[in-house]
Amino acid sequence: MSTSAAERAPGVAPGDGFAARARGLTKAYGTGETTVLALDSVDVDIARGRFTAVMGPSGSGKSTLMHCLAGLDTVSAGQVWLGDTEITGLKDQELTRLRRDRIGFMFQSFNLIPTLNARENITLPIDIAGRRPDGEWLDRVIDTLGLRDRLRHRPAQLSGGQQQRVACARALASRPELIFADEPTGNLDSRAGLEVLGFLRESVDRLGQTVVMVTHDPGAAAHSDLVLFLADGRIVDEMRQPTAESVLERMKRFDMSRAAGKD
Ligand SMILES: Nc1ncnc2c1ncn2[C@@H]1O[C@H](COP(=O)(O)OP(=O)(O)O)[C@@H](O)[C@H]1O
Ligand SMILES: [Mg+2]
C-alpha cells in the first residue's frame, strides 16, 4: 500500500533505495475450482538498510510473499526485483546463483544439518558456493551471536535458542544484501527470541543489513522500522516506528472489522 508505488510507471527498474520490490505480484496455487489466490496483485518496496516486519492472520500470504520476493517460488503474474535485477523470468541457474550470493534465510524450523557441527552449519552455504569465508566478518557474527564456545556442538547438543542463533549466523555468514526471516522467534522462549531480534536489529543498524521478517508477535514487530499488514493476499496497511502497543491496537481493529464482515 505504498503511496509512491502507484505514482511510478509499471516496469520501471528500482533505484538504489530498495533491496527488493514487487509490482502486481500475484501467486495462485492449484487450478480450477480449487485455486487459492495466496497473493493478489501486491505492490511492495523493501527499503535498503531497514528492518521490515510482515504481519497478518494465518494464511494471509506472508510466507508466500517472502518466498516470491526471495526467488524461492515462482510467481503467477507480476514482477519482482532484487536490487536492480528483475528476478521474474530469470533462468533457474541464474536465480540460484543470485539467491546464493545476495540472500540469507532464516526459517521457524531452523533447518540445520544434524550431522554437522555449528561452525560447519554456519559456513555450509559458503562452502557449497566454493568460496572462502570472510574470517573477520564471520568472527564478528559468531561473537555477536555468542556462539564462540558452541562451534563444535552439533544441533542436538544445542538449545532451541542456540540453534536459531546458528541459523541466524548461517544467514549472515555470506554477508547477504537481504535477509528473509520467517517467524524466526516462533520456536524460541522469550529470552532467546529477544536475543535474535536484538541481533537482527543490530545487523541493520550497525552492519547496514536489510531484514524482512514475518512475525505473529507485536513485541517482535516492534523491533522493526516498518510493519506491513497482510490480509487475504493483499497489503492492507503499514505502520512506521511501531511499538508493541500500537501494533496490538492495529491487530485488534483488524479483528473487529473482520468480525463485522467489512474485511
Ligand atoms: N504449496 C501450496 N499449495 C497450495 N496452497 C498453498 C501452498 N502454500 C500456501 N498455500 C495457501 O496459500 C495461502 C497463503 O499461505 P501462506 O503464504 O503460507 O500464509 P501465511 O504464511 O500468512 O500463513 C493459504 O491459503 C495457503 O493454504
Ligand atoms: Mg507462514
Side-chain angles (χ1 to χ4, degrees), residues 56-64 66-67 108 182-183 214 216:
S58 183
S60 57
K62 303 181 295 295
S63 294
T64 305
M66 297 255 283
H67 293 165
Q108 185 171 354
D182 198 347
E183 303 196 41
V214 169
H216 276 113

Side-chain angles (χ1 to χ4, degrees), residues 125-181:
I126 302 175
D127 295 339
I128 288 174
R131 288 210 239 104
R132 281 250 204 98
D134 171 344
E136 210 174 299
W137 170 257
L138 206 57
D139 278 343
R140 200 160 151 199
V141 168
I142 286 166
D143 287 330
T144 313
L145 281 164
L147 290 168
R148 178 67 56 196
D149 58 353
R150 292 286 180 274
L151 291 176
R152 306 245 161 258
H153 292 59
R154 296 212 180 140
Q157 302 169 310
L158 299 169
S159 70
Q162 288 165 344
Q163 288 182 52
Q164 188 57 303
R165 280 187 273 148
V166 171
C168 188
R170 180 185 55 189
L172 284 160
S174 64
R175 206 166 188 166
E177 286 175 37
L178 185 50
I179 290 177
F180 289 100

